Amino acid sequence: MRQTWRWFGPNDLVSTDDMLQAGVEGVVSALHQVPTGDVWTPEAIAARQGEIGTRRDGSPSGLSWEVVESLPVSEAIKKQKGDWRQHIENYRQSLRHLAGAGIEIVCYNFMPILDWTRTDLAYRVSHGGTCMRFDIVDFAAFDIHILRRPGAVEDFPEDVVAAAAERFSGMGAKRREELTRNVISGLPGATESLTLDGLQAHLDEYGTISPDELRGNFIAFLEEVVPLAQELGIRMCCHPDDPPFPLLGLPRIMSTEADYKAMMDAVDVPENGITLCSGSLGVRPDNDLPGMMRRLGERVHFLHLRNVQRESDQVACSFHEAEHLGGCTDMVDLVAAVVQEEARRRAAGRTDVSIPFRPDHGQDILDDLGRRSQPGYPAIGRLKGLAELRGIIATLEHRTRGLGAS
């Protein structure tokens, strides 16, 4: 398993020097400054590679840009409206430029409008640190009483609707503004942001798009880009919905193992693969993460390892980001499944034996609490998670080598 770290570029409060001290082997990054739908130019790609490859003092870092996260899919492509055909051609051109720069793994998602959704970006946990949280009652209060989306009341159970009304009535203006910012904050690192009016405009356009139609648009996108990726030697890996259940009346099509199976069957080549995010998928009680890794592992090209604590057994539930070895996912069993998959790849002679992973998200602890880093991306919290994951990996790999020797 190859240890990587997500980096948002020169403005990231975590530097290349910090990444080196954390002991990572590669970097996950993106050109967040490029508007979605535009071409990533060779010059911009090379500039980011140069930034990753340089320490604060100008000396070589020895690190390289190994995984793109994300090359975003535009809303026009998802809806097949407006300039969507040109955006697909721009996407294909960006893939050509990335391949020319030697980058072989591209993570993306097909979530409508919002790339992830949380209601609290600094939820206080028992040890005094903070984490991100999704509160279903707060979200219903936003949807019903702040956004005032038509039909929102019908999308929540009666008890949640009642609790949301009470919660909203007790909110001051500051909390209402904070909740709105949290919900519509969008992609981490992105310069683009939504307004309430902009969000409602997108929702109006999605109003007639069913899950089957969105899935058809997704397959059409894959049919355009995956054959080129295969030709270029790029492995595409789709990130799941976060959270993995419907929000704002929008269709969700990448929330379960069945969703991934349908996606892979539609364009059945190895380059059409998975970003297995244990945090996103782990929110659903009916998702078996170690089992998914064992059943779908040959197409897993990238891993996000994090954990969440579900606060009920409902599919649409409140949850918060847990410590990497806490929460509802058996991280030891999941990592064991990854190590087993790598052993299978090694025996089969595959070149992509070592699957890159990153310690996804993390709780803000110690000095993180005053850093104001990207929500979910503190330095020390992620380093703690990486250290814990590294211990699991070292133990399992040691046992695997021992069994092989005997």
Side-chain angles (χ1 to χ4, degrees):
M1 295 176 67
R2 188 159 180 83
Q3 302 168 38
T4 65
W5 189 273
R6 191 173 191 183
W7 191 60
F8 294 100
N11 294 326
D12 196 321
L13 294 178
V14 177
S15 68
T16 51
D17 294 54
D18 296 333
M19 288 188 279
L20 284 171
Q21 291 173 26
V24 302
E25 299 166 309
V27 177
V28 177
S29 194
L31 302 181
H32 299 292
Q33 72 275 17
V34 178
T36 300
D38 286 4
V39 174
W40 287 15
T41 65
E43 294 77 15
I45 293 168
R48 177 52 50 86
Q49 288 177 311
E51 292 159 354
I52 290 170
T54 306
R55 301 182 65 165
R56 281 199 187 106
D57 63 5
S59 63
S61 70
L63 294 171
S64 63
W65 187 4
E66 297 187 5
V67 180
V68 168
E69 185 183 350
S70 297
L71 180 57
V73 180
S74 72
E75 294 304 314
I77 292 173
K78 295 171 191 172
K79 293 181 288 191
Q80 288 197 358
K81 294 184 178 181
D83 295 333
W84 71 277
R85 294 186 186 277
Q86 184 60 54
H87 285 189
I88 284 183
E89 183 49 46
N90 291 350
Y91 202 100
R92 287 163 54 87
Q93 190 62 23
S94 296
L95 290 179
R96 293 186 186 100
H97 294 161
L98 288 166
I103 298 173
E104 298 179 349
I105 301 176
V106 173
C107 171
Y108 68 98
N109 73 68
F110 218 80
M111 283 182 266
I113 309 178
L114 300 175
D115 288 285
W116 53 261
T117 305
R118 300 291 187 272
T119 57
D120 194 335
L121 305 183
Y123 173 70
R124 186 75 61 179
V125 292
S126 60
H127 58 53
T130 64
C131 67
M132 297 199 297
R133 181 171 184 255
F134 179 88
D135 184 307
I136 192 69
V137 174
D138 274 351
F139 186 80
F142 166 80
D143 197 5
I144 298 169
H145 300 287
I146 296 176
L147 182 62
R148 297 180 182 176
R149 178 176 63 88
V153 171
E154 286 74 32
D155 287 348
F156 298 95
E158 288 183 5
D159 61 329
V160 172
V161 172
E166 183 177 355
R167 183 80 54 87
F168 178 75
S169 67
M171 284 184 190
K174 182 178 179 181
R175 174 54 186 158
R176 294 177 187 181
E177 292 172 3
E178 178 187 53
L179 177 59
T180 299
R181 283 197 308 271
N182 292 349
V183 170
I184 66 176
S185 60
L187 185 71
T191 57
E192 302 169 8
S193 60
L194 282 172
T195 62
L196 281 177
D197 288 342
L199 173 58
Q200 188 59 62
H202 276 301
L203 290 173
D204 291 342
E205 291 196 356
Y206 271 103
T208 59
I209 298 177
S210 68
D212 286 343
E213 287 178 278
L214 184 63
R215 187 171 291 105
N217 295 350
F218 183 28
I219 292 170
F221 166 75
L222 294 174
E223 289 172 342
E224 290 285 344
V225 302
V226 170
L228 176 63
Q230 187 175 32
E231 177 186 324
L232 296 171
I234 286 179
R235 300 188 292 283
M236 302 287 294
C237 40
C238 186
H239 188 283
D241 301 324
D242 185 7
F245 47 77
L247 298 174
L248 301 173
L250 293 165
R252 293 289 224 190
I253 59 169
M254 293 302 295
S255 296
T256 66
E257 182 172 349
D259 290 334
Y260 270 107
K261 188 70 166 58
M263 179 270 286
M264 293 189 298
D265 288 346
V267 181
D268 194 10
V269 296
E271 288 75 13
N272 181 30
I274 301 169
T275 296
L276 191 72
C277 178
S278 59
S280 298
L281 293 167
V283 169
R284 287 183 70 110
D286 53 350
N287 278 336
D288 166 22
L289 271 298
M292 289 177 70
M293 186 65 213
R294 292 186 173 96
R295 290 183 290 272
L296 307 180
E298 66 177 1
R299 300 276 279 275
V300 172
H301 301 318
F302 185 35
L303 293 154
H304 288 179
L305 297 182
R306 65 179 171 91
N307 225 322
V308 294
Q309 181 62 54
R310 295 189 297 271
E311 297 173 21
S312 80
D313 292 330
Q314 303 299 313
V315 169
C317 66
S318 299
F319 63 89
H320 63 270
E321 309 272 4
E323 295 176 311
H324 283 74
L325 301 190
C328 297
T329 294
D330 185 338
M331 194 63 71
V332 175
D333 196 15
L334 174 56
V335 173
V338 177
V339 172
Q340 290 163 6
E341 171 59 25
E342 290 187 335
R344 284 192 291 270
R345 294 184 183 193
R346 190 175 295 109
R350 284 177 56 163
T351 58
D352 59 338
V353 170
S354 187
I355 303 173
F357 78 94
R358 64 176 180 83
D360 194 17
H361 296 184
Q363 296 184 344
D364 286 67
I365 57 175
L366 305 176
D367 291 354
D368 290 332
L369 293 166
R371 277 198 180 200
R372 295 181 175 274
S373 60
Q374 288 284 349
Y377 292 92
I380 300 171
R382 280 188 292 166
L383 176 57
K384 176 175 180 283
L386 178 59
E388 292 170 342
L389 294 168
R390 191 179 281 146
I392 297 171
I393 294 164
T395 300
L396 293 170
E397 290 183 341
H398 176 75
R399 289 179 179 174
T400 300
R401 286 194 299 271
L403 289 171
S406 61

